[in-house]
Amino acid sequence: MNYERAWLDYEAGLSGPDVEKDGAVQLEIEIKTEADGGIQDAVMENAVRELRGAFGPKEQDGIRKIRLVKRQAPAGLSAEGYHLYEDKTVSNAGNEQQDGVFVIEASDSNGILYGAFELIRQARMGNTLRGLDILKHPGMPLRMMNHWDNMDGSIERGYSGNSFFFAEEKVLVNDRTSAYARLMASIGINAVVINNVNVDKAATLLITQKHFEPLKKMSEIFAGYGIKLYLSLNYAAPLELGELESADPLDEKVRGWWKKQMEIVFGEIPGLGGFLIKADSEGRPGPFTYGRTHADGANMLAEAVRPYGGLIIWRCFVYNCQQDWRDRKTDRARSGYDNFIGLDGAFLDNVILQIKNGPMDFQVREPVHPLFGGLTQTNQILEVQIAQEYTGQQRHVCYLLPMFCEILNFMTYVKEDEDTVKEIVSGRTFGQKNCGMAAVANTGNDENWTGHDLAAANLYGFGRLSFEPELSAQEIAKEWIRLTYGLDEQVEETILFLLMSSWPAYEKYTSPLGIGWMVNPNYHYGPSVDGYEYSRWGTYHRADHLGIGVDRSHAGTGYTQLYREPNASLYDDPEKCPDELLLFFHHMPYTWKLRSGKTIIQHIYDTHFEGVEMVDEMERRFAALDGRLPDAVYARIMGRLAHQKEHAREWCDQINTYFYRKTGISDEKNRKLY
Ligand code: GCW
């Protein structure tokens, strides 16, 4: 197994009925010629190379041919879409069965590349290719990876080694760059931010001469795979580079500086897509310093990049991180909404607001961010985190696609129909073209990319979901398993079981009922019920001996009222509020009966024991795969499962004991509580 090739390891052998039977897959690629600038030769070459790698070439018998026929593609194919089918009207001369040839039609080269990967995926999944007819368009325009990689090679919240983009303050361009771009293209990713949103001193220099050469090279490699390179930007760059005394977005000198600087940057790196900005958040500089708004800041940059078709992606993760735990009025959950809702409609068209899936910070369970459905005149990107910062840090298996699917399907009620998060970020709800999804990436220079082998399912899955948001988490998991480990049914069934049980299990043995946190401060791994209870970060559970939870109802912080009806009323009423979010929205007595019929305290005990049992079962089933997977993979996963089991037990004991001691209420089932 070649780990670097991950789910694209064709050397492992193509499988599937047709491929094995006659080996006669002949391909004809058809592209539309007049698509101005839509055809990138490098992308076409990569598409052809991929097809050759997968299906041939078997030059001796000459039956696998790939022809590039440039002619007008039929109408109905929009950007990055493709039509892949077997054309029976064209006889395949080299083939005894007289089957047709395979055609990939698209209106641009990204469509051709995605069509090629689709054909390969179909073959490798063991599906029959005969009669194939697939017409697809990506479900959203922007499908992005956000890397939090630092110039020194470290990765903020990285759990799989060091950066492959930077080391010792230098930009790295090597084989790993193209190996990475190839993987991303195969799942439909078309935009990548390579550096951390916390832009430190060294990274501020990425927009200067010092790094243009390697960045240009990298952008060209990416472009060959249909991907645009993006950078995270330091809002205070003119100050920190020592060129101006201010970063005031309304100061003409500052505006002029950015225009000039962007002219230089885009002149040197023409393939650049734009910038991602974290401003006025967790100590980062921003327009607040000058009494200006986020719209002032974002629009200044948007004007500077507009001549080059650049985008400004502005994050909404803005909150007061200097809170006093006694202050019950300030609610971190409200802050993103409160900071941005008044600016709806004030941003230029090449600005996109990037909104985390929930109002807090990538907890195992959060409600959907109320800006989705709140904003109606602003471009939006949904940000999720596949780096498992709060979900087991790639030592625990935690397949996050079920969560992402739930989020995408959440109904905001912003419109009579087409009101889900999926429809908003796909651009359907408000007819926008600058929108999509971004994931905080989970990769590093570990040989298997993601540390935990099974964490690669999140990497693969995020891309596939952003391209085809109608897919289910289960379908995506099956694809990834087959493409990575082949068509062994026992392997598929077992790994599917592990992946699909993992998020529910993790939720059970960690913090209960939507309350979140309860982790060790700073590094966010392992249980510490009061770890964040008295700190400045605004992340409290408010547990005392009578009850637990944060009152975010109309009588509390009013957060529930940020949703549209009927969501606002649903969340506001503890009788109607979904159990899994009850303590996020309400402070409740431990003896409160949940909709499930259990009391809160009994629910806590039960779910924690269940979570541990689930991990036990996962380990037991996985152990039976001995001999069916490459030894190293098997050993790595077994090792991590053993740790996960032990760690899940620690979570269980710490949480159960904490609440047993706080409440004095015993477990109905008399299990061991310390
Ligand atoms: O989740 C928090 C992380 C920070 C991160 C921040 C953010 C990059 O703990 O490490 O900083 O979110 O999203 O900006």
Side-chain angles (χ1 to χ4, degrees), residues 79-122:
E80 301 185 294
Y82 55 87
H83 189 193
L84 164 66
Y85 60 96
E86 184 185 16
D87 187 350
K88 295 260 189 191
T89 65
V90 188
S91 118
N92 177 341
N95 181 323
E96 283 156 26
Q97 284 96 19
Q98 295 295 303
D99 292 314
V101 299
F102 289 91
V103 180
I104 304 170
E105 289 174 348
S107 64
D108 55 31
S109 37
N110 274 25
I112 295 292
L113 185 62
Y114 299 147
F117 278 121
E118 171 85 62
L119 179 62
I120 296 165
R121 181 164 60 238
Q122 290 294 333

mmCIF file of all heavy atoms in Angstrom, residues 79-122:
data_model
loop_
_atom_site.group_PDB
_atom_site.id
_atom_site.type_symbol
_atom_site.label_atom_id
_atom_site.label_comp_id
_atom_site.label_asym_id
_atom_site.label_seq_id
_atom_site.Cartn_x
_atom_site.Cartn_y
_atom_site.Cartn_z
ATOM 1 N N ALA A 79 -20.465 25.308 -15.159
ATOM 2 C CA ALA A 79 -19.097 25.292 -14.632
ATOM 3 C C ALA A 79 -18.803 24.054 -13.791
ATOM 4 O O ALA A 79 -19.574 23.713 -12.891
ATOM 5 C CB ALA A 79 -18.865 26.547 -13.796
ATOM 6 N N GLU A 80 -17.732 23.415 -14.130
ATOM 7 C CA GLU A 80 -17.166 22.284 -13.380
ATOM 8 C C GLU A 80 -18.034 21.019 -13.398
ATOM 9 O O GLU A 80 -17.720 20.044 -12.740
ATOM 10 C CB GLU A 80 -16.867 22.677 -11.925
ATOM 11 C CG GLU A 80 -15.886 23.824 -11.788
ATOM 12 C CD GLU A 80 -15.530 24.096 -10.344
ATOM 13 O OE1 GLU A 80 -16.421 24.519 -9.588
ATOM 14 O OE2 GLU A 80 -14.367 23.874 -9.973
ATOM 15 N N GLY A 81 -19.103 21.064 -14.138
ATOM 16 C CA GLY A 81 -19.942 19.860 -14.225
ATOM 17 C C GLY A 81 -19.431 18.923 -15.302
ATOM 18 O O GLY A 81 -18.559 19.275 -16.098
ATOM 19 N N TYR A 82 -19.967 17.714 -15.353
ATOM 20 C CA TYR A 82 -19.543 16.765 -16.394
ATOM 21 C C TYR A 82 -20.648 15.787 -16.730
ATOM 22 O O TYR A 82 -21.557 15.541 -15.951
ATOM 23 C CB TYR A 82 -18.301 15.984 -15.950
ATOM 24 C CG TYR A 82 -18.451 15.270 -14.630
ATOM 25 C CD1 TYR A 82 -18.989 13.989 -14.566
ATOM 26 C CD2 TYR A 82 -18.051 15.883 -13.443
ATOM 27 C CE1 TYR A 82 -19.132 13.340 -13.351
ATOM 28 C CE2 TYR A 82 -18.188 15.244 -12.226
ATOM 29 C CZ TYR A 82 -18.725 13.967 -12.185
ATOM 30 O OH TYR A 82 -18.873 13.337 -10.984
ATOM 31 N N HIS A 83 -20.563 15.290 -17.951
ATOM 32 C CA HIS A 83 -21.441 14.215 -18.380
ATOM 33 C C HIS A 83 -20.540 13.047 -18.776
ATOM 34 O O HIS A 83 -19.718 13.172 -19.671
ATOM 35 C CB HIS A 83 -22.300 14.675 -19.563
ATOM 36 C CG HIS A 83 -23.364 13.687 -19.916
ATOM 37 N ND1 HIS A 83 -24.091 13.734 -21.070
ATOM 38 C CD2 HIS A 83 -23.829 12.588 -19.241
ATOM 39 C CE1 HIS A 83 -24.963 12.725 -21.106
ATOM 40 N NE2 HIS A 83 -24.810 12.019 -20.003
ATOM 41 N N LEU A 84 -20.702 11.975 -18.079
ATOM 42 C CA LEU A 84 -19.873 10.788 -18.294
ATOM 43 C C LEU A 84 -20.797 9.659 -18.728
ATOM 44 O O LEU A 84 -21.743 9.329 -18.024
ATOM 45 C CB LEU A 84 -19.184 10.452 -16.962
ATOM 46 C CG LEU A 84 -18.565 9.076 -16.781
ATOM 47 C CD1 LEU A 84 -17.393 8.884 -17.727
ATOM 48 C CD2 LEU A 84 -18.093 8.931 -15.332
ATOM 49 N N TYR A 85 -20.533 9.111 -19.900
ATOM 50 C CA TYR A 85 -21.440 8.046 -20.367
ATOM 51 C C TYR A 85 -20.752 7.148 -21.384
ATOM 52 O O TYR A 85 -19.712 7.480 -21.949
ATOM 53 C CB TYR A 85 -22.701 8.659 -20.989
ATOM 54 C CG TYR A 85 -22.439 9.554 -22.178
ATOM 55 C CD1 TYR A 85 -22.542 9.071 -23.484
ATOM 56 C CD2 TYR A 85 -22.089 10.895 -21.998
ATOM 57 C CE1 TYR A 85 -22.295 9.890 -24.574
ATOM 58 C CE2 TYR A 85 -21.841 11.721 -23.084
ATOM 59 C CZ TYR A 85 -21.951 11.211 -24.368
ATOM 60 O OH TYR A 85 -21.690 12.030 -25.436
ATOM 61 N N GLU A 86 -21.391 6.017 -21.611
ATOM 62 C CA GLU A 86 -20.918 5.117 -22.658
ATOM 63 C C GLU A 86 -21.697 5.443 -23.921
ATOM 64 O O GLU A 86 -22.930 5.399 -23.931
ATOM 65 C CB GLU A 86 -21.167 3.664 -22.263
ATOM 66 C CG GLU A 86 -20.602 2.704 -23.290
ATOM 67 C CD GLU A 86 -20.937 1.253 -22.975
ATOM 68 O OE1 GLU A 86 -21.840 1.008 -22.164
ATOM 69 O OE2 GLU A 86 -20.283 0.367 -23.557
ATOM 70 N N ASP A 87 -20.959 5.783 -24.957
ATOM 71 C CA ASP A 87 -21.606 6.119 -26.220
ATOM 72 C C ASP A 87 -21.647 4.873 -27.086
ATOM 73 O O ASP A 87 -20.646 4.458 -27.669
ATOM 74 C CB ASP A 87 -20.827 7.244 -26.916
ATOM 75 C CG ASP A 87 -21.543 7.741 -28.156
ATOM 76 O OD1 ASP A 87 -22.531 7.087 -28.565
ATOM 77 O OD2 ASP A 87 -21.116 8.776 -28.697
ATOM 78 N N LYS A 88 -22.831 4.302 -27.214
ATOM 79 C CA LYS A 88 -22.971 3.042 -27.955
ATOM 80 C C LYS A 88 -22.986 3.272 -29.460
ATOM 81 O O LYS A 88 -22.863 2.331 -30.230
ATOM 82 C CB LYS A 88 -24.286 2.361 -27.550
ATOM 83 C CG LYS A 88 -24.310 1.942 -26.098
ATOM 84 C CD LYS A 88 -24.008 0.474 -25.979
ATOM 85 C CE LYS A 88 -24.264 0.031 -24.544
ATOM 86 N NZ LYS A 88 -23.753 -1.311 -24.299
ATOM 87 N N THR A 89 -23.186 4.522 -29.872
ATOM 88 C CA THR A 89 -23.251 4.768 -31.318
ATOM 89 C C THR A 89 -21.861 4.743 -31.943
ATOM 90 O O THR A 89 -21.710 4.640 -33.137
ATOM 91 C CB THR A 89 -23.911 6.132 -31.627
ATOM 92 O OG1 THR A 89 -23.053 7.157 -31.103
ATOM 93 C CG2 THR A 89 -25.283 6.231 -31.000
ATOM 94 N N VAL A 90 -20.854 4.873 -31.097
ATOM 95 C CA VAL A 90 -19.488 4.804 -31.622
ATOM 96 C C VAL A 90 -18.954 3.428 -31.275
ATOM 97 O O VAL A 90 -18.837 3.087 -30.100
ATOM 98 C CB VAL A 90 -18.594 5.865 -30.951
ATOM 99 C CG1 VAL A 90 -17.238 5.919 -31.622
ATOM 100 C CG2 VAL A 90 -19.280 7.215 -30.968
ATOM 101 N N SER A 91 -18.670 2.640 -32.261
ATOM 102 C CA SER A 91 -18.234 1.284 -31.917
ATOM 103 C C SER A 91 -16.769 1.290 -31.508
ATOM 104 O O SER A 91 -15.949 2.030 -32.029
ATOM 105 C CB SER A 91 -18.513 0.343 -33.081
ATOM 106 O OG SER A 91 -17.307 -0.190 -33.557
ATOM 107 N N ASN A 92 -16.497 0.488 -30.553
ATOM 108 C CA ASN A 92 -15.158 0.380 -30.014
ATOM 109 C C ASN A 92 -14.465 -0.764 -30.740
ATOM 110 O O ASN A 92 -14.669 -1.925 -30.430
ATOM 111 C CB ASN A 92 -15.287 0.127 -28.517
ATOM 112 C CG ASN A 92 -13.947 -0.069 -27.865
ATOM 113 O OD1 ASN A 92 -12.959 -0.364 -28.519
ATOM 114 N ND2 ASN A 92 -13.931 0.090 -26.563
ATOM 115 N N ALA A 93 -13.670 -0.384 -31.731
ATOM 116 C CA ALA A 93 -13.111 -1.369 -32.656
ATOM 117 C C ALA A 93 -12.255 -2.429 -31.982
ATOM 118 O O ALA A 93 -12.262 -3.591 -32.370
ATOM 119 C CB ALA A 93 -12.307 -0.655 -33.727
ATOM 120 N N GLY A 94 -11.560 -2.045 -30.972
ATOM 121 C CA GLY A 94 -10.639 -2.984 -30.355
ATOM 122 C C GLY A 94 -11.322 -3.990 -29.442
ATOM 123 O O GLY A 94 -10.677 -4.766 -28.760
ATOM 124 N N ASN A 95 -12.598 -3.956 -29.372
ATOM 125 C CA ASN A 95 -13.298 -4.718 -28.353
ATOM 126 C C ASN A 95 -14.206 -5.764 -28.986
ATOM 127 O O ASN A 95 -15.092 -5.444 -29.775
ATOM 128 C CB ASN A 95 -14.106 -3.714 -27.526
ATOM 129 C CG ASN A 95 -14.872 -4.389 -26.417
ATOM 130 O OD1 ASN A 95 -15.384 -5.483 -26.578
ATOM 131 N ND2 ASN A 95 -14.948 -3.714 -25.305
ATOM 132 N N GLU A 96 -13.997 -7.022 -28.626
ATOM 133 C CA GLU A 96 -14.783 -8.114 -29.222
ATOM 134 C C GLU A 96 -16.278 -7.961 -28.999
ATOM 135 O O GLU A 96 -17.095 -8.296 -29.839
ATOM 136 C CB GLU A 96 -14.340 -9.452 -28.643
ATOM 137 C CG GLU A 96 -13.033 -9.938 -29.230
ATOM 138 C CD GLU A 96 -12.325 -10.896 -28.283
ATOM 139 O OE1 GLU A 96 -13.015 -11.542 -27.477
ATOM 140 O OE2 GLU A 96 -11.084 -10.958 -28.360
ATOM 141 N N GLN A 97 -16.642 -7.432 -27.818
ATOM 142 C CA GLN A 97 -18.080 -7.310 -27.520
ATOM 143 C C GLN A 97 -18.739 -6.145 -28.243
ATOM 144 O O GLN A 97 -19.931 -5.924 -28.096
ATOM 145 C CB GLN A 97 -18.295 -7.126 -26.019
ATOM 146 C CG GLN A 97 -18.136 -8.395 -25.233
ATOM 147 C CD GLN A 97 -16.727 -8.515 -24.653
ATOM 148 O OE1 GLN A 97 -15.991 -7.547 -24.535
ATOM 149 N NE2 GLN A 97 -16.346 -9.725 -24.319
ATOM 150 N N GLN A 98 -17.941 -5.392 -28.983
ATOM 151 C CA GLN A 98 -18.480 -4.229 -29.684
ATOM 152 C C GLN A 98 -19.187 -3.248 -28.754
ATOM 153 O O GLN A 98 -20.246 -2.722 -29.061
ATOM 154 C CB GLN A 98 -19.465 -4.677 -30.789
ATOM 155 C CG GLN A 98 -18.817 -5.464 -31.903
ATOM 156 C CD GLN A 98 -17.820 -4.619 -32.706
ATOM 157 O OE1 GLN A 98 -18.163 -3.582 -33.240
ATOM 158 N NE2 GLN A 98 -16.583 -5.066 -32.779
ATOM 159 N N ASP A 99 -18.577 -3.049 -27.584
ATOM 160 C CA ASP A 99 -19.146 -2.058 -26.679
ATOM 161 C C ASP A 99 -18.838 -0.665 -27.190
ATOM 162 O O ASP A 99 -17.998 -0.487 -28.063
ATOM 163 C CB ASP A 99 -18.552 -2.220 -25.276
ATOM 164 C CG ASP A 99 -19.011 -3.512 -24.641
ATOM 165 O OD1 ASP A 99 -20.225 -3.799 -24.719
ATOM 166 O OD2 ASP A 99 -18.167 -4.224 -24.081
ATOM 167 N N GLY A 100 -19.534 0.303 -26.624
ATOM 168 C CA GLY A 100 -19.295 1.685 -27.026
ATOM 169 C C GLY A 100 -18.033 2.245 -26.388
ATOM 170 O O GLY A 100 -17.296 1.537 -25.705
ATOM 171 N N VAL A 101 -17.810 3.509 -26.619
ATOM 172 C CA VAL A 101 -16.672 4.166 -25.967
ATOM 173 C C VAL A 101 -17.190 5.046 -24.842
ATOM 174 O O VAL A 101 -18.343 5.458 -24.832
ATOM 175 C CB VAL A 101 -15.846 5.024 -26.948
ATOM 176 C CG1 VAL A 101 -15.281 4.177 -28.059
ATOM 177 C CG2 VAL A 101 -16.674 6.165 -27.492
ATOM 178 N N PHE A 102 -16.303 5.324 -23.911
ATOM 179 C CA PHE A 102 -16.693 6.182 -22.789
ATOM 180 C C PHE A 102 -16.363 7.626 -23.107
ATOM 181 O O PHE A 102 -15.292 7.919 -23.618
ATOM 182 C CB PHE A 102 -15.988 5.733 -21.512
ATOM 183 C CG PHE A 102 -16.545 4.434 -21.028
ATOM 184 C CD1 PHE A 102 -15.988 3.223 -21.432
ATOM 185 C CD2 PHE A 102 -17.663 4.418 -20.213
ATOM 186 C CE1 PHE A 102 -16.528 2.026 -21.018
ATOM 187 C CE2 PHE A 102 -18.210 3.227 -19.795
ATOM 188 C CZ PHE A 102 -17.640 2.025 -20.196
ATOM 189 N N VAL A 103 -17.292 8.481 -22.794
ATOM 190 C CA VAL A 103 -17.140 9.892 -23.129
ATOM 191 C C VAL A 103 -17.246 10.728 -21.855
ATOM 192 O O VAL A 103 -18.104 10.475 -21.013
ATOM 193 C CB VAL A 103 -18.251 10.328 -24.114
ATOM 194 C CG1 VAL A 103 -18.102 11.798 -24.471
ATOM 195 C CG2 VAL A 103 -18.226 9.455 -25.352
ATOM 196 N N ILE A 104 -16.336 11.657 -21.733
ATOM 197 C CA ILE A 104 -16.469 12.640 -20.654
ATOM 198 C C ILE A 104 -16.646 13.994 -21.317
ATOM 199 O O ILE A 104 -15.754 14.455 -22.029
ATOM 200 C CB ILE A 104 -15.221 12.690 -19.743
ATOM 201 C CG1 ILE A 104 -14.905 11.310 -19.173
ATOM 202 C CG2 ILE A 104 -15.431 13.693 -18.608
ATOM 203 C CD1 ILE A 104 -13.554 11.242 -18.456
ATOM 204 N N GLU A 105 -17.785 14.590 -21.107
ATOM 205 C CA GLU A 105 -18.033 15.912 -21.671
ATOM 206 C C GLU A 105 -18.082 16.932 -20.553
ATOM 207 O O GLU A 105 -18.632 16.665 -19.487
ATOM 208 C CB GLU A 105 -19.397 15.952 -22.369
ATOM 209 C CG GLU A 105 -19.457 15.166 -23.645
ATOM 210 C CD GLU A 105 -20.876 15.125 -24.204
ATOM 211 O OE1 GLU A 105 -21.827 15.505 -23.493
ATOM 212 O OE2 GLU A 105 -21.008 14.706 -25.358
ATOM 213 N N ALA A 106 -17.541 18.090 -20.843
ATOM 214 C CA ALA A 106 -17.599 19.159 -19.850
ATOM 215 C C ALA A 106 -17.415 20.480 -20.553
ATOM 216 O O ALA A 106 -16.972 20.519 -21.702
ATOM 217 C CB ALA A 106 -16.505 18.967 -18.803
ATOM 218 N N SER A 107 -17.743 21.545 -19.882
ATOM 219 C CA SER A 107 -17.554 22.842 -20.517
ATOM 220 C C SER A 107 -16.274 23.512 -20.040
ATOM 221 O O SER A 107 -15.923 24.586 -20.481
ATOM 222 C CB SER A 107 -18.755 23.748 -20.255
ATOM 223 O OG SER A 107 -18.849 23.998 -18.875
ATOM 224 N N ASP A 108 -15.583 22.891 -19.098
ATOM 225 C CA ASP A 108 -14.275 23.421 -18.703
ATOM 226 C C ASP A 108 -13.397 22.255 -18.249
ATOM 227 O O ASP A 108 -13.865 21.121 -18.105
ATOM 228 C CB ASP A 108 -14.404 24.500 -17.621
ATOM 229 C CG ASP A 108 -15.174 24.018 -16.404
ATOM 230 O OD1 ASP A 108 -15.115 22.812 -16.099
ATOM 231 O OD2 ASP A 108 -15.843 24.847 -15.763
ATOM 232 N N SER A 109 -12.128 22.550 -18.032
ATOM 233 C CA SER A 109 -11.218 21.445 -17.745
ATOM 234 C C SER A 109 -11.443 20.847 -16.355
ATOM 235 O O SER A 109 -11.210 19.657 -16.145
ATOM 236 C CB SER A 109 -9.763 21.867 -17.937
ATOM 237 O OG SER A 109 -9.566 23.179 -17.524
ATOM 238 N N ASN A 110 -11.908 21.638 -15.409
ATOM 239 C CA ASN A 110 -12.210 21.037 -14.116
ATOM 240 C C ASN A 110 -13.274 19.951 -14.261
ATOM 241 O O ASN A 110 -13.195 18.892 -13.636
ATOM 242 C CB ASN A 110 -12.712 22.098 -13.122
ATOM 243 C CG ASN A 110 -11.557 22.776 -12.407
ATOM 244 O OD1 ASN A 110 -10.454 22.815 -12.934
ATOM 245 N ND2 ASN A 110 -11.814 23.296 -11.223
ATOM 246 N N GLY A 111 -14.256 20.216 -15.105
ATOM 247 C CA GLY A 111 -15.304 19.220 -15.341
ATOM 248 C C GLY A 111 -14.717 17.934 -15.893
ATOM 249 O O GLY A 111 -15.097 16.834 -15.487
ATOM 250 N N ILE A 112 -13.766 18.069 -16.825
ATOM 251 C CA ILE A 112 -13.119 16.887 -17.403
ATOM 252 C C ILE A 112 -12.365 16.116 -16.311
ATOM 253 O O ILE A 112 -12.472 14.885 -16.196
ATOM 254 C CB ILE A 112 -12.136 17.307 -18.524
ATOM 255 C CG1 ILE A 112 -12.893 17.944 -19.691
ATOM 256 C CG2 ILE A 112 -11.299 16.118 -18.987
ATOM 257 C CD1 ILE A 112 -13.789 17.023 -20.488
ATOM 258 N N LEU A 113 -11.636 16.846 -15.501
ATOM 259 C CA LEU A 113 -10.862 16.196 -14.435
ATOM 260 C C LEU A 113 -11.800 15.470 -13.463
ATOM 261 O O LEU A 113 -11.569 14.311 -13.098
ATOM 262 C CB LEU A 113 -10.029 17.250 -13.695
ATOM 263 C CG LEU A 113 -9.071 16.756 -12.618
ATOM 264 C CD1 LEU A 113 -8.002 15.843 -13.198
ATOM 265 C CD2 LEU A 113 -8.395 17.952 -11.919
ATOM 266 N N TYR A 114 -12.862 16.143 -13.055
ATOM 267 C CA TYR A 114 -13.796 15.509 -12.117
ATOM 268 C C TYR A 114 -14.494 14.309 -12.759
ATOM 269 O O TYR A 114 -14.760 13.297 -12.110
ATOM 270 C CB TYR A 114 -14.838 16.519 -11.618
ATOM 271 C CG TYR A 114 -14.236 17.695 -10.868
ATOM 272 C CD1 TYR A 114 -14.818 18.961 -10.922
ATOM 273 C CD2 TYR A 114 -13.082 17.543 -10.111
ATOM 274 C CE1 TYR A 114 -14.263 20.046 -10.237
ATOM 275 C CE2 TYR A 114 -12.512 18.620 -9.431
ATOM 276 C CZ TYR A 114 -13.108 19.870 -9.506
ATOM 277 O OH TYR A 114 -12.556 20.933 -8.846
ATOM 278 N N GLY A 115 -14.771 14.432 -14.059
ATOM 279 C CA GLY A 115 -15.385 13.305 -14.771
ATOM 280 C C GLY A 115 -14.440 12.117 -14.820
ATOM 281 O O GLY A 115 -14.853 10.960 -14.665
ATOM 282 N N ALA A 116 -13.151 12.410 -15.021
ATOM 283 C CA ALA A 116 -12.155 11.335 -15.064
ATOM 284 C C ALA A 116 -12.098 10.634 -13.705
ATOM 285 O O ALA A 116 -12.109 9.395 -13.624
ATOM 286 C CB ALA A 116 -10.791 11.907 -15.432
ATOM 287 N N PHE A 117 -12.059 11.412 -12.648
ATOM 288 C CA PHE A 117 -12.020 10.801 -11.315
ATOM 289 C C PHE A 117 -13.302 10.013 -11.018
ATOM 290 O O PHE A 117 -13.268 8.993 -10.349
ATOM 291 C CB PHE A 117 -11.778 11.862 -10.234
ATOM 292 C CG PHE A 117 -10.324 12.231 -10.076
ATOM 293 C CD1 PHE A 117 -9.885 13.537 -10.262
ATOM 294 C CD2 PHE A 117 -9.380 11.262 -9.724
ATOM 295 C CE1 PHE A 117 -8.538 13.879 -10.114
ATOM 296 C CE2 PHE A 117 -8.028 11.598 -9.570
ATOM 297 C CZ PHE A 117 -7.613 12.905 -9.767
ATOM 298 N N GLU A 118 -14.397 10.478 -11.565
ATOM 299 C CA GLU A 118 -15.667 9.747 -11.360
ATOM 300 C C GLU A 118 -15.600 8.379 -12.048
ATOM 301 O O GLU A 118 -15.980 7.365 -11.469
ATOM 302 C CB GLU A 118 -16.835 10.565 -11.932
ATOM 303 C CG GLU A 118 -18.159 9.822 -11.961
ATOM 304 C CD GLU A 118 -18.932 9.909 -10.650
ATOM 305 O OE1 GLU A 118 -19.286 11.034 -10.266
ATOM 306 O OE2 GLU A 118 -19.186 8.870 -10.016
ATOM 307 N N LEU A 119 -15.098 8.368 -13.263
ATOM 308 C CA LEU A 119 -15.018 7.100 -13.993
ATOM 309 C C LEU A 119 -14.115 6.112 -13.248
ATOM 310 O O LEU A 119 -14.437 4.937 -13.092
ATOM 311 C CB LEU A 119 -14.488 7.354 -15.412
ATOM 312 C CG LEU A 119 -14.334 6.119 -16.300
ATOM 313 C CD1 LEU A 119 -15.689 5.443 -16.528
ATOM 314 C CD2 LEU A 119 -13.725 6.492 -17.654
ATOM 315 N N ILE A 120 -13.004 6.638 -12.784
ATOM 316 C CA ILE A 120 -12.072 5.782 -12.044
ATOM 317 C C ILE A 120 -12.728 5.273 -10.758
ATOM 318 O O ILE A 120 -12.628 4.106 -10.400
ATOM 319 C CB ILE A 120 -10.773 6.564 -11.733
ATOM 320 C CG1 ILE A 120 -10.061 6.918 -13.040
ATOM 321 C CG2 ILE A 120 -9.866 5.767 -10.808
ATOM 322 C CD1 ILE A 120 -8.978 7.974 -12.891
ATOM 323 N N ARG A 121 -13.420 6.179 -10.082
ATOM 324 C CA ARG A 121 -14.085 5.795 -8.828
ATOM 325 C C ARG A 121 -15.127 4.712 -9.087
ATOM 326 O O ARG A 121 -15.193 3.710 -8.381
ATOM 327 C CB ARG A 121 -14.737 7.035 -8.208
ATOM 328 C CG ARG A 121 -15.437 6.786 -6.891
ATOM 329 C CD ARG A 121 -15.719 8.074 -6.140
ATOM 330 N NE ARG A 121 -16.564 8.981 -6.906
ATOM 331 C CZ ARG A 121 -16.225 10.211 -7.252
ATOM 332 N NH1 ARG A 121 -15.073 10.718 -6.894
ATOM 333 N NH2 ARG A 121 -17.054 10.966 -7.950
ATOM 334 N N GLN A 122 -15.907 4.879 -10.143
ATOM 335 C CA GLN A 122 -16.924 3.878 -10.466
ATOM 336 C C GLN A 122 -16.276 2.515 -10.686
ATOM 337 O O GLN A 122 -16.749 1.504 -10.176
ATOM 338 C CB GLN A 122 -17.701 4.290 -11.727
ATOM 339 C CG GLN A 122 -18.610 5.490 -11.537
ATOM 340 C CD GLN A 122 -19.756 5.217 -10.583
ATOM 341 O OE1 GLN A 122 -20.197 4.083 -10.424
ATOM 342 N NE2 GLN A 122 -20.233 6.253 -9.917
#
